[in-house]
Amino acid sequence: MAWAMRAMQHAEVYYKLISSVDPQYLKLTKVDDQIYSEFRKNFEKLRIDVLDPEELKSVSAKEKWRPFCLKFDGVIEDFNYGTLLRLDCSQGYTEENTIFAPRIQFFAIEIARNREGHNKAVYNSVQNEEGEKGANRGAKENNKGGEKEKEANEGINKSGETSM
């Protein structure tokens, strides 16, 4: 039960992060470039905006993912720790839109989503909602974005990785 709570906390921190900071500028690990290049070298045609669970969980998919994941053993802390991954990156974490995945798989897909602009939809929708609220409420709301960014940044540990 503790791992499920930890996975949910990580999901909440990550969602706050991509909601408050333009995802294309996020650095999730010290080795984002290596993760991204290896990911796209091995999975160049994988559709990442809306994931097909079969591309992650089928026997043939697991055979392809296993060597990729093992490359990061000792490079990414807890590389195989269970995390929650959104299937459709334009939506939040819901029971229907979430799959359980190893941490390195989460990093690979989310780094690619950030770099390729797929997570921008979440950021834009939250920013638009806050802009409308701010216009309706006045100057009092203007500092809320900074507070959200500060709260999201608290989820990043000292080594530069998100605390996921």
Side-chain angles (χ1 to χ4, degrees), residues 28-57:
L28 301 180
T29 73
K30 290 181 179 180
V31 292
D32 279 15
D33 293 339
Q34 180 186 355
I35 293 170
Y36 181 71
S37 65
E38 284 291 328
F39 171 68
R40 278 309 186 196
K41 184 168 74 175
N42 289 282
F43 302 96
E44 62 184 284
K45 296 194 186 300
L46 181 67
R47 184 176 172 199
I48 58 171
D49 58 339
V50 180
L51 296 169
D52 176 356
E54 287 297 308
E55 296 281 344
L56 306 173
K57 300 293 183 182

Side-chain angles (χ1 to χ4, degrees), residues 114-134:
N114 291 341
R115 290 186 176 197
E116 295 172 19
H118 298 290
N119 278 334
K120 188 94 171 186
V122 170
Y123 174 74
N124 286 338
S125 71
V126 170
Q127 297 307 308
N128 289 339
E129 285 176 21
E130 288 186 0
E132 290 171 13
K133 287 178 186 175

Side-chain angles (χ1 to χ4, degrees), residues 12-163:
E12 289 171 356
V13 167
Y14 183 69
Y15 197 77
K16 284 181 185 177
L17 194 59
I18 63 171
S19 297
S20 60
V21 178
D22 188 339
Q24 74 180 10
Y25 300 111
L26 287 178
K27 188 160 177 68
L28 301 180
T29 73
K30 290 181 179 180
V31 292
D32 279 15
D33 293 339
Q34 180 186 355
I35 293 170
Y36 181 71
S37 65
E38 284 291 328
F39 171 68
R40 278 309 186 196
K41 184 168 74 175
N42 289 282
F43 302 96
E44 62 184 284
K45 296 194 186 300
L46 181 67
R47 184 176 172 199
I48 58 171
D49 58 339
V50 180
L51 296 169
D52 176 356
E54 287 297 308
E55 296 281 344
L56 306 173
K57 300 293 183 182
S58 70
V59 173
S60 62
K62 286 181 179 181
E63 288 175 8
K64 192 168 182 181
W65 276 101
R66 189 171 295 113
F68 170 83
C69 292
L70 290 174
K71 287 180 184 178
F72 295 95
D73 185 6
V75 177
I76 296 294
E77 185 180 339
D78 297 328
F79 79 103
N80 63 348
Y81 191 82
T83 59
L84 298 176
L85 179 64
R86 294 170 300 136
L87 294 172
D88 181 343
C89 69
S90 69
Q91 299 177 23
Y93 285 93
T94 64
E95 189 174 336
E96 302 80 27
N97 193 44
T98 305
I99 192 168
F100 196 63
R103 188 173 192 223
I104 187 59
Q105 202 172 42
F106 166 87
F107 278 140
I109 291 167
E110 290 297 340
I111 289 167
R113 284 174 167 175
N114 291 341
R115 290 186 176 197
E116 295 172 19
H118 298 290
N119 278 334
K120 188 94 171 186
V122 170
Y123 174 74
N124 286 338
S125 71
V126 170
Q127 297 307 308
N128 289 339
E129 285 176 21
E130 288 186 0
E132 290 171 13
K133 287 178 186 175
N136 293 336
R137 291 187 184 154
K140 183 179 177 184
E141 290 290 319
N142 287 344
N143 193 30
K144 193 170 191 172
E147 290 171 13
K148 283 186 81 172
E149 186 171 347
K150 181 180 175 189
E151 183 179 306
N153 286 335
E154 288 173 2
I156 301 175
N157 66 24
K158 292 177 184 160
S159 68
E161 290 183 10
T162 57
S163 59

